[in-house]
Amino acid sequence: MKTLETNDWLVLNTIIYKIYTMESMEEMRRELLEQLKLLIDFDSADFYLASMHEKGKLEKPVTLNCEGNLAEEYEKLDTARGVFSSGKALIYRETDIINEDARVETDYYRNVYKPNNWDYSLQMILAKDKRFLGVITFYRTIGKENFKYEDIFVLDILKEHLAYRLEKYFKNGGEENDKLTVTAAVRQYGLTRREDTILRKLMQGMDNQKICDELSISANTLKKHILNIYRKLGIRNRVQLFKMIREHED
């Protein structure tokens, strides 16, 4: 078991305080990942919420040093489907559930880990009363040692606090003030200039044909841009878009 120093406990107390007091779910998750860097050595991380509309799906990612949306790749994993449906809170290293030789030969390792120069991961499944609520994954780059049980100990202290906050969030149907402005969404999810333009027109309520006419693009081209926006934002349709993004900047 890890022996925490006084400064470590101060950081943990600050994290727990912010879990309960920060109004924005997104900002709380972002602050959590930033603060955990002081306690756990990791290079990248992502924090997904369970979809409110589709069982076993992930949405609204908050990331640290990660590019793109890994939800679809992660949802394909048999292990992921198993932990989602179990409704149990878990903290584990990937190497605890699959042996090293098999792990590096999986499509997930080839398609996700290698392009990002990752080797090891530590995962935190958040659940309460048999309901899956979200998942946090921490990654270490190739050349570093695997995560240790001391790292699991730190996360275990936070597990119930995060599950309580997420359960409250889901019971409220999502917080209204948690919506992003278009500008914030573009910055956070790395939307291109063209995707920025299209997103703003969508939020103005324009139909597809009008957007095509204004931008002089085909319907197929517009569809590709919209699907890319959905993929980056971790959503699947326009209803979810309006629940995630504010219609006005202020």
Side-chain angles (χ1 to χ4, degrees):
M1 181 177 293
K2 180 173 181 175
T3 301
L4 297 177
E5 303 294 334
T6 301
N7 285 344
D8 296 331
W9 283 112
L10 289 174
V11 173
L12 275 169
N13 285 336
T14 298
I15 290 173
I16 292 169
Y17 175 77
K18 291 184 176 181
I19 287 172
Y20 288 104
T21 60
M22 293 187 73
E23 290 188 6
S24 167
M25 174 62 72
E26 177 175 345
E27 292 303 318
M28 182 278 287
R29 291 185 289 149
R30 187 172 305 284
E31 185 71 13
L32 172 79
L33 297 183
E34 292 282 359
Q35 291 290 308
L36 280 174
K37 286 283 289 180
L38 301 174
L39 300 173
I40 299 173
D41 177 22
F42 62 91
D43 299 290
S44 305
D46 49 43
F47 189 160
Y48 286 87
L49 298 181
S51 172
M52 291 187 180
H53 312 286
E54 298 181 70
K55 187 175 180 180
K57 298 295 183 179
L58 302 173
E59 64 182 20
K60 297 186 177 181
V62 166
T63 64
L64 186 65
N65 301 326
C66 286
E67 293 185 3
N69 187 338
L70 304 180
E72 290 186 6
E73 289 291 338
Y74 185 59
E75 290 163 359
K76 295 175 186 176
L77 292 174
D78 291 336
T79 52
R81 289 194 290 269
V83 295
F84 291 171
S85 61
S86 72
K88 294 180 180 180
L90 298 169
I91 303 170
Y92 61 91
R93 304 175 302 177
E94 188 183 38
T95 52
D96 293 331
I97 59 174
I98 182 172
N99 72 62
E100 185 66 12
D101 291 338
R103 186 177 76 89
V104 298
E105 294 299 323
T106 62
D107 289 339
Y108 191 74
Y109 188 89
R110 292 193 185 105
N111 297 336
V112 175
Y113 280 58
K114 278 198 169 183
N116 288 286
N117 199 38
W118 297 331
D119 197 7
Y120 294 111
S121 68
L122 174 63
Q123 202 146 65
M124 185 179 192
I125 305 296
L126 297 166
K128 190 171 178 61
D129 297 331
K130 298 183 179 181
R131 179 180 181 179
F132 168 63
L133 302 169
V135 55
I136 311 173
T137 309
F138 304 90
Y139 306 94
R140 280 185 180 168
T141 54
I142 293 172
K144 284 192 172 182
E145 293 183 352
N146 197 0
F147 290 93
K148 298 181 179 180
Y149 287 106
E150 287 84 350
D151 301 315
I152 294 176
F153 173 71
V154 170
L155 296 181
D156 195 56
I157 294 172
L158 300 173
K159 180 177 63 180
E160 295 302 322
H161 298 288
L162 283 166
Y164 179 88
R165 173 65 193 272
L166 264 62
E167 181 189 42
K168 183 178 178 182
Y169 172 84
F170 281 101
K171 282 184 177 178
N172 291 338
E175 302 165 23
E176 181 65 25
N177 61 4
D178 197 50
K179 284 188 176 183
L180 292 171
T181 63
V182 172
T183 299
V186 169
R187 181 177 64 251
Q188 178 180 332
Y189 296 104
L191 270 59
T192 65
R193 184 175 298 180
R194 176 63 90 181
E195 289 165 354
D196 180 356
T197 300
I198 290 171
L199 177 57
R200 292 180 189 278
K201 292 184 181 300
L202 290 173
M203 297 311 299
Q204 291 167 11
M206 288 189 185
D207 61 34
N208 287 10
Q209 188 57 56
K210 187 171 182 180
I211 296 175
C212 289
D213 293 342
E214 287 201 2
L215 299 181
S216 299
I217 58 176
S218 69
N220 283 338
T221 298
L222 176 61
K223 183 178 179 180
K224 290 177 182 178
H225 284 307
I226 292 175
L227 289 177
N228 279 335
I229 292 170
Y230 290 171
R231 176 180 57 80
K232 290 181 178 181
L233 269 56
I235 58 177
R236 289 174 170 78
N237 54 54
R238 201 167 297 196
V239 172
Q240 292 178 351
L241 179 68
F242 277 88
K243 288 184 177 180
M244 181 178 185
I245 308 296
R246 296 180 191 169
E247 295 180 47
H248 306 285
E249 283 291 305
D250 51 13

